[in-house]
Amino acid sequence: MGKMSVKEELIKRLKEAVVSGDPEEVSKIARKIIEAGIDPLEAVEKALVAGVLELGDMWVRGEAFIADVVAAADAMKAGLSILKNDIAKKGKSVKYLGRIVIGTVEGDIHDIGKSIVATLWEASGFEVIDLGVDVSPQRFVEAIKSYNPDVVGMSALLTTSMLKQKETIEAIKQAGLRDKVKIVIGGAPTTEEWAREIGADGWAPDAFSAVGLVKRLLGIKG
Amino acid sequence: MARPRIEVLDKNEVLEIHWRTLSVLSRVGVKVDHAEALKLLHSIGAEVDFNRKIAKIPEHIVKEALAKTPSSIRLYHRDGKQFIELMRWSTYFDVGSAGLYYIDWRTGEVRRALTRDLAEVARVTNALPNIHLMSTALVPSDVPDIIADRWRMYVDLKNCTKPIDTGAFTLEGIPDAVKIMASILGEDNVSKKPIMMFAACPSSPLMWSDLTTQNLMDCAKYRVPVHIVSAPQTSATSPATIAGTNVQVNAEILAGLVIAQFTRPGTPVIYGVSPTVFDQRYGTACLGSIEVGLMCATFTQLARFYGIPSAGYIMVSDAKTADSQASLESAFGALIAVLSGTNIAIGAGMLLEENGISLVKLVIDNDIAGLALRFGRGVLVDVETLAEKIIEEVGPGGLFLKYKHSREWWRKEHFLPTLLDKKTTDMWKKSGSKDLTTVAKEYVEKILKEHVVEPLPPDIEKALDNTMLEIAKRYGIEKLPQV
């Protein structure tokens, strides 16, 4: 084996910076990658996305903590914002696996779980539109109309607000949009049974499972 | 940092117990069933009745003995490099000692312990980060009784690198143990870098038997750490009251201390207790009772008052199997030990009226010890931990997770138990809905399958084997179990 090429070297370092959750280092290397004329799409896939996914695997194995994953995803975003410009300049665009709208349901202002899921979906190659917290059924319906997403995700941390997930699905049905989207739910009090009961398409017990869940629902391999 | 501490007695109460003890020693005295020790006590000014074998020890002798006693002890790992330091408020956890029965983790069967069972306990202990000492936990029944005490040390040394809490139940026990230690770290290091401590137990009330006095004096002669362990039963072999038991047990321990220090000044002594509550409903001596916690805490205070390292049997449970009682009694004990600053908290893995070792309990106790030690570390308060800067940066409604401060301090601030379940209900169900006992059993199996104990250097191992063989040969024992 010969010496590592400049490209391989930079992509390797970019991935390492993502894994260690260092946004400054990621930005620095991302600029170098542009200067070196390396294909930015390849850098996104092989370093940014791969780095976050590697950390996800480490979390599953108990070798990393959630804060490490979130930091990696944050570092990934820093890199993406720089590389995106270069991708656009070259007349290309980032190819997303799909578009997801996410929010915490009405009456619930819990942000953490929803944000982690959103971050991991982004990190796995989805385009995510985060509606924030305390999102009414009507706002979910409007978001489906204006963004035309493949998936809608609803989070609830309270047993009381959990009921809003049901109400939101009803509202989506009444608006005649139910067949246009897959609906997934999550949050501490929710269960697989609850998801079935309210007519959601899927449920995940934790953020990483949520990645696999939407991939399955959209028929994406890996 | 204000370390969390408990002191059950106030200063005046400690003094009162001390004065009453001196009074008991000089007026009532102790029975010492050992001619040489009696002569020694007589020679230094004790009032000795050689017929009744009673020695009344005056106050000034006790004070002199206390002045000769070291205030800290280092116990070494068998590599002669790592050590634990018994002093101040530090607490180290130790496996329960000298059980006759092994509670087999595979089957739950309770049976007489074998050499291979003790080897299992030693290997598992070697892998547990919060259990710092290995005791000669079991008395193997597959070797003749006459060498079982030394055989236990040998089995421990072959399977665990940590310091060893042991004792002799033969007159030759201590001199032979010294030979065993010499084969590991050399003769010069036997007392310089002791890798074992030896129990010598007075018999409550107020007696020192022939054998234990001999063991005590042998430890002094070789200047190896002697762990005096008094084991009263409240209302049976000591007063029903805790303060009364404090006085009597203190007298027993100080009498031993006098014998040790006048045999050889500077003998390292550990002030140890195994107090029990005599449960008059069943005639049982109970170690898991909450009053045992009070007694360990108060004896620890007395030891600290004298400036002597302390030890207590505080993690033994009265449960017969590794159930909820086993965990809750040991959890109280561990926390009490850490908060009181008992230097050695003994009893991890022990059940069954102080007579059985359960590896399931031992690995759970490892988590319990970790929790107690974490509590004992208290709360660090400084500019960085107060985190005002980060609170400002994150602001209302923000999320702390992605910040370096969170990543760094989450690790530093929290103890992560190995076995206790912290998963979501769903994850727990998916991983088999296992209770703690099941998880613990699987962990034992994993350790025994995967953990490798650092081997002894070949020349040292050979020297150790030869020492043990010579001891066995002296008794005409040729066939020994595989270790």
Side-chain angles (χ1 to χ4, degrees):
Chain A
M1 289 287 281
K3 249 177 70 181
M4 214 182 260
S5 71
V6 175
K7 182 173 115 181
E8 283 169 338
E9 171 76 23
L10 283 174
I11 284 181
K12 181 170 164 266
R13 279 176 52 202
L14 185 64
K15 187 179 166 190
E16 280 166 6
V18 170
V19 169
S20 62
D22 188 340
E24 284 86 35
E25 183 70 9
V26 165
S27 305
K28 219 173 77 190
I29 303 169
R31 279 187 209 104
K32 276 189 190 163
I33 281 177
I34 294 171
E35 280 166 30
I38 295 165
D39 178 10
L41 281 168
E42 192 178 339
V44 169
E45 186 194 332
K46 288 190 176 160
L48 298 185
V49 174
V52 177
L53 292 182
E54 181 175 319
L55 222 71
D57 289 340
M58 284 168 71
W59 181 77
V60 170
R61 291 197 302 267
E63 291 160 15
F65 300 127
I66 287 178
D68 305 322
V69 180
V70 173
D74 196 49
M76 180 256 191
K77 276 192 217 167
L80 194 60
S81 73
I82 290 168
L83 291 175
K84 246 187 195 167
N85 296 334
D86 195 45
I87 292 168
K89 240 189 254 164
K90 292 199 162 85
K92 296 179 184 171
S93 60
V94 179
K95 233 172 79 196
Y96 291 109
L97 294 176
R99 181 181 284 173
I100 308 174
V101 161
I102 189 173
T104 302
V105 295
E106 193 173 46
D108 197 329
I109 58 161
H110 291 94
D111 194 34
I112 301 180
K114 184 262 303 162
S115 296
I116 295 172
V117 172
T119 300
L120 288 179
W121 276 337
E122 268 185 326
S124 316
F126 290 94
E127 185 186 11
V128 178
I129 294 128
D130 188 344
L131 303 178
V133 297
D134 194 16
V135 180
S136 66
Q138 203 43 47
R139 276 189 61 210
F140 271 108
V141 167
E142 280 157 20
I144 296 171
K145 283 181 186 159
S146 48
Y147 296 111
N148 194 25
D150 302 293
V151 177
V152 172
M154 280 179 246
S155 166
L157 190 82
L158 309 171
T159 44
T160 48
S161 64
M162 192 174 129
L163 300 172
K164 282 282 174 185
Q165 291 179 328
K166 188 177 178 184
E167 215 176 288
T168 305
I169 292 179
E170 292 300 326
I172 293 171
K173 269 187 198 161
Q174 272 174 19
L177 300 167
R178 183 64 188 88
D179 296 338
K180 289 190 69 184
V181 290
K182 299 283 182 193
I183 299 176
V184 294
I185 64 156
T190 64
T191 60
E192 200 152 20
E193 291 76 47
W194 171 246
R196 258 201 303 275
E197 190 187 320
I198 65 174
D201 295 302
W203 168 88
D206 60 68
F208 282 101
S209 312
V211 173
L213 172 67
V214 294
K215 281 187 178 173
R216 258 198 322 281
L217 287 175
L218 299 179
I220 300 161
K221 278 185 194 162
Chain B
M1 176 166 52
R3 189 194 183 283
R5 287 173 180 178
I6 45 173
E7 293 208 300
V8 174
L9 304 168
D10 70 23
K11 268 188 190 132
N12 288 322
E13 288 166 340
V14 170
L15 277 173
E16 179 103 27
I17 291 168
H18 172 59
W19 291 329
R20 297 273 173 203
T21 303
L22 294 174
S23 177
V24 166
L25 278 170
S26 64
R27 287 172 220 275
V28 184
V30 284
K31 182 172 176 181
V32 181
D33 195 5
H34 191 280
E36 193 189 335
L38 278 176
K39 258 185 250 166
L40 172 77
L41 288 166
H42 182 70
S43 74
I44 57 173
E47 186 190 323
V48 176
D49 179 334
F50 285 94
N51 286 329
R52 291 176 54 226
K53 300 177 180 174
I54 299 277
K56 295 178 179 172
I57 308 172
E59 206 174 309
H60 69 91
I61 293 178
V62 177
K63 285 180 176 161
E64 235 181 280
L66 281 165
K68 294 177 202 284
T69 311
S71 50
S72 71
I73 297 174
R74 283 182 183 182
L75 285 174
Y76 282 79
H77 286 232
R78 67 173 196 201
D79 65 3
K81 290 181 189 121
Q82 301 176 70
F83 59 83
I84 59 170
E85 197 168 38
L86 312 179
M87 67 184 296
R88 302 173 64 236
W89 290 76
S90 54
T91 298
Y92 298 96
F93 287 88
D94 182 9
V95 182
S97 169
L100 292 180
Y101 298 96
Y102 190 54
I103 305 165
D104 197 324
W105 58 276
R106 296 170 187 86
T107 58
E109 183 201 2
V110 177
R111 53 176 169 74
R112 278 301 302 275
L114 302 170
T115 295
R116 65 176 149 88
D117 302 329
L118 178 58
E120 271 188 3
V121 178
R123 290 215 304 282
V124 170
T125 301
N126 199 65
L128 300 176
N130 305 311
I131 307 295
H132 310 91
L133 292 100
M134 173 61 195
S135 70
T136 38
L138 294 166
V139 184
S141 61
D142 51 355
V143 293
D145 289 346
I146 188 72
I147 60 157
D149 55 354
R150 284 143 287 172
W151 182 251
R152 301 181 302 166
M153 302 171 196
Y154 174 71
V155 175
D156 272 14
L157 280 167
K158 298 272 267 194
N159 291 284
C160 185
T161 64
K162 298 180 180 183
I164 296 170
D165 163 19
T166 187
F169 26 82
T170 52
L171 288 169
E172 301 81 8
I174 303 295
D176 281 347
V178 166
K179 284 182 200 156
I180 289 172
M181 285 200 280
S183 68
I184 302 278
L185 289 182
E187 236 168 274
D188 291 349
N189 282 325
V190 166
S191 79
K192 255 189 241 158
K193 291 185 171 183
I195 54 174
M196 298 190 206
M197 59 187 231
F198 301 93
C201 311
S203 313
S204 298
L206 299 169
M207 292 193 300
W208 275 86
S209 76
D210 183 19
L211 175 67
T212 54
T213 309
Q214 185 61 46
N215 286 164
L216 176 69
M217 293 174 83
D218 283 344
C219 284
K221 278 174 199 155
Y222 294 105
R223 206 184 281 180
V224 291
V226 58
H227 172 209
I228 299 180
V229 189
S230 176
Q233 304 177 13
T234 57
S235 82
T237 64
S238 79
T241 53
I242 293 170
T245 300
N246 281 150
V247 170
Q248 178 196 304
V249 163
N250 196 33
E252 291 162 0
I253 293 173
L254 291 184
L257 191 97
V258 166
I259 296 170
Q261 296 309 331
F262 282 94
T263 301
R264 184 158 177 183
T267 298
V269 175
I270 295 151
Y271 186 112
V273 288
S274 177
T276 63
V277 167
F278 183 68
D279 192 317
Q280 300 191 15
R281 294 171 302 173
Y282 312 108
T284 46
C286 299
L287 281 125
S289 307
I290 199 67
E291 296 81 9
V292 171
L294 281 169
M295 288 191 271
C296 273
T298 48
F299 284 119
T300 297
Q301 263 189 276
L302 286 163
R304 195 162 35 241
F305 170 71
Y306 295 130
I308 305 172
S310 58
Y313 277 70
I314 183 78
M315 270 188 98
V316 180
S317 167
D318 298 317
K320 309 304 180 281
T321 172
D323 59 5
S324 312
Q325 182 185 341
S327 290
L328 80 88
E329 287 180 338
S330 299
F332 275 122
L335 192 58
I336 289 168
V338 168
L339 294 179
S340 317
T342 309
N343 296 138
I344 306 180
I346 309 172
M350 189 150 243
L351 295 171
L352 214 71
E353 300 189 70
E354 211 179 347
N355 218 354
I357 291 286
S358 154
L359 284 183
V360 173
K361 178 174 189 284
L362 182 62
V363 295
I364 294 172
D365 286 349
N366 175 61
D367 265 358
I368 291 175
L371 296 169
L373 287 168
R374 169 61 191 99
F375 192 92
R377 258 171 47 215
V379 176
L380 180 63
V381 180
D382 64 18
V383 173
E384 206 190 330
T385 61
L386 287 164
E388 192 188 343
K389 219 175 111 193
I390 193 83
I391 294 170
E392 196 175 333
E393 201 175 326
V394 173
L399 184 59
F400 286 85
L401 273 174
K402 73 174 187 186
Y403 292 86
K404 212 172 153 208
H405 187 275
S406 310
R407 296 168 69 198
E408 189 184 331
W409 281 97
W410 192 78
R411 280 178 168 80
K412 284 190 194 165
E413 195 78 310
H414 305 96
F415 168 73
L416 300 181
T418 309
L419 306 177
L420 303 186
D421 186 79
K422 306 288 169 187
K423 295 193 273 288
T424 64
T425 309
D426 185 73
M427 285 158 84
W428 175 77
K429 279 184 190 161
K430 285 210 171 108
S431 55
S433 306
K434 292 168 193 162
D435 65 3
L436 181 58
T437 313
T438 309
V439 172
K441 229 181 266 179
E442 289 176 358
Y443 188 55
V444 169
E445 192 171 4
K446 183 175 144 77
I447 292 176
L448 288 172
K449 205 184 280 170
E450 294 173 8
H451 179 70
V452 180
V453 181
E454 195 193 326
L456 281 163
D459 51 328
I460 291 178
E461 178 147 44
K462 207 168 163 210
L464 175 65
D465 290 346
N466 286 339
T467 308
M468 189 64 232
L469 280 174
E470 273 168 36
I471 293 168
K473 225 184 260 169
R474 209 192 308 139
Y475 298 97
I477 299 162
E478 301 278 341
K479 242 187 107 189
L480 288 163
Q482 280 270 295
V483 182

